[in-house]
Amino acid sequence: MAATQIQNPETAPMPDRRGQVPADGAPADGAPGSDAFAGGEAGGGALAGGAPADRAPAGRIPGGRASVDRRPDLAGTLRPLAIDIGIPLGTYYLLRDAFGVSLWLSLALSSIGPAVRSIAGLVADRRLNLLAVLMLAVNLAGIGISFLTGDPRAMIAKDSVVSSVIAFAILGSVMLRRPLMSAGLKPYMTRGKAERIAAWDRLSMASARFRRLELAFSTIWGLALLAECSARLVGAYTLPVTTMVWLGTVMTLGSIGVAIVAGGAAAGPIQKMIDAEAAAS
């Protein structure tokens, strides 16, 4: 029997697709080292399975970059509230309580930011920044009533002036068809999610019912604060001073609670419309 020649499997020629062994050890079609299979460390070819070497797997961005961050921009949504209301209030309390600045001067200095924002918005965009205007109006009212001293009833009644300024500002924004309370409702309803923010914007532009609900929500808040203002003013001159010292706070909290509950009649449908619009997009 003829001796069988044993070949090293690593060096033995590979049969091509037709079962034939190429001459001179040339690589067969589809074998490692051929142009059709070159890739990876060989460079410039295709990966196994036909995927180009310079193309990243699905779901990955070429060049090793991380995928685009789609996290909700909640901070961006709340930024107007922080700039127009949070910073002025923080400045006021910091100046008055931490540095001992007088009441009227603290209010005056904390009004600079809202005043600049109001003027800049009017000049640049030809539109009023309602949140900044509201904060400025409240501060100016506070400066005016800060000079009321001596009469304890007048000191109690002065808080109703601030509430009335806010109430009339909200109701005025409703008349201008630019509901002020939407600035606070929108972040709560959209939760900073891009698809919900886009849904709000589309509905606010295209849906008459959505706009009516926005106006209704601000109207409810304006009327609740106006009622609190009137009750506080009446109580300041009809009830004992010692009673109004604690009852004034109860009135404020009560009006806010009423506004939240009653405002649900508008906020509930608004949320449902946003849910439906975001799901459909």
Side-chain angles (χ1 to χ4, degrees):
M1 182 172 59
T4 303
Q5 182 179 0
I6 300 176
Q7 293 182 329
N8 187 342
E10 294 183 357
T11 59
M14 299 291 294
D16 61 9
R17 292 190 179 97
R18 295 179 300 273
Q20 297 177 353
V21 178
D24 301 328
D29 293 342
S34 68
D35 291 340
F37 201 82
E41 295 180 358
L47 295 173
D54 59 349
R55 180 181 302 169
R60 300 287 298 275
I61 296 179
R65 291 176 296 176
S67 59
V68 178
D69 189 0
R70 302 289 294 179
R71 290 177 299 177
D73 187 15
L74 184 58
T77 307
L78 296 176
R79 189 176 296 117
L81 293 175
I83 294 176
D84 295 324
I85 295 180
I87 292 178
L89 284 177
T91 301
Y92 164 72
Y93 285 112
L94 182 66
L95 291 173
R96 191 193 68 174
D97 297 336
F99 295 100
V101 179
S102 64
L103 176 62
W104 74 268
L105 184 57
S106 298
L107 287 169
L109 293 176
S110 64
S111 300
I112 295 176
V116 171
R117 292 267 295 172
S118 301
I119 296 173
L122 191 60
V123 172
D125 302 328
R126 297 187 181 276
R127 59 183 295 181
L128 285 175
N129 184 326
L130 294 181
L131 286 177
V133 171
L134 173 62
M135 200 66 219
L136 181 61
V138 170
N139 282 359
L140 292 177
I143 291 173
I145 63 178
S146 66
F147 296 101
L148 294 176
T149 57
D151 184 1
R153 293 190 180 276
M155 295 297 292
I156 293 174
K158 71 180 179 63
D159 293 332
S160 66
V161 175
V162 176
S163 297
S164 67
V165 169
I166 299 175
F168 284 122
I170 294 175
L171 294 175
S173 72
V174 173
M175 295 180 64
L176 294 174
R177 314 291 292 181
R178 294 180 59 189
L180 186 59
M181 292 303 296
S182 291
L185 182 63
K186 182 177 181 179
Y188 176 77
M189 288 292 179
T190 60
R191 299 188 289 277
K193 295 183 178 179
E195 66 276 11
R196 295 182 67 84
I197 294 173
W200 174 293
D201 293 338
R202 288 193 299 270
L203 289 169
S204 186
M205 291 292 294
S207 173
R209 178 171 180 258
F210 189 85
R211 290 292 295 172
R212 287 195 300 269
L213 290 170
E214 281 190 87
L215 294 171
F217 185 80
S218 286
T219 301
I220 291 169
W221 272 87
L223 292 177
L225 293 177
L226 189 60
E228 183 265 337
C229 163
S230 302
R232 184 191 291 269
L233 189 60
V234 171
Y237 290 98
T238 59
L239 298 176
V241 173
T242 53
T243 300
M244 281 303 299
V245 168
W246 61 266
L247 186 57
T249 302
V250 174
M251 288 180 176
T252 300
L253 297 177
S255 66
I256 294 175
V258 169
I260 292 175
V261 174
I270 286 176
Q271 184 173 19
K272 291 179 180 179
M273 292 183 70
I274 292 174
D275 291 342
E277 180 69 19
S281 62

